[in-house]
Amino acid sequence: MELATREQPRLGRPRERTGLESFGGTMKEKINVFLADDHALVREGLAALIEKADDMEVVGQCGDGLKVVQQVLSAKPDVVALDITMPGMNGLDVCRQLVRRAKKSAVLVLTMHTDEEFIIRALENGASGYLVKEAASDQLAEAVRTVARGEVYLGPRVPKSVLSRLTTEARQDPYDKLTLRERQVLQLIAEGKTNRQVAEVLDLSVKTVDTHRAHMMRKLGIHDQTTLVKYALRRGIVTLH
């Protein structure tokens, strides 16, 4: 198990304290955890593991990326365990929104993805931890406790090279130029929805969706639907089932 914050500079954003600063046997409150994963069976399994710990409890669950932020704002958890592959809005973009809007909730990315690019993007978006789903139950508990303390947790499957890349690379990613709406439109189109269906999901006019789509494709340098889907697959925004 590797705890990056022991010897490395803080990678996630500082979290506002919620009265859980003390974990040395004097903690009076449980760590409230919110689960965001599109598979109900996975959420149920994670909830069962977390509820076994005396110092944790699950306060909410969600399987729709478009609904996670609002539900987290309502539940006010200490930790959000967040998958990357989510319908409507992928976990990396959800993370970015949570960091901006739910400042008292630390984000622990809990996913099957082990590629360095996913790890780097998660940390750049403000995640406080990254753990692969195949990790042991005690590693999950330690990860939750670590990010709840305001520290950064990187699981055993996270290569050490990620840390050096984070501190040395000046990354220029066209995706960073997209607005939230443009990212939502990108994902929904890549999921196979028509412009009219996207408009219904986002409660927008078809004309507005057309505009967001045109701006998004121009920023990414993409000119057709096939290339757009390939781009979304390559970034992990959508996956093949």
Side-chain angles (χ1 to χ4, degrees), residues 206-231:
V206 175
K207 184 177 181 180
T208 299
V209 171
D210 288 338
T211 300
H212 286 312
R213 178 172 181 164
H215 289 169
M216 172 265 294
M217 295 183 75
R218 175 178 54 79
K219 291 176 182 179
L220 296 178
I222 293 174
H223 307 288
D224 59 82
Q225 177 86 4
T226 301
T227 305
L228 181 67
V229 173
K230 289 180 178 178
Y231 175 84

Side-chain angles (χ1 to χ4, degrees), residues 5 84 92 112 131 135 142 145 149 174 216 223 230:
T5 48
I84 288 179
L92 295 174
M112 64 179 182
L131 184 65
E142 179 61 22
R145 294 183 183 112
R149 288 196 298 265
M216 172 265 294
H223 307 288
K230 289 180 178 178

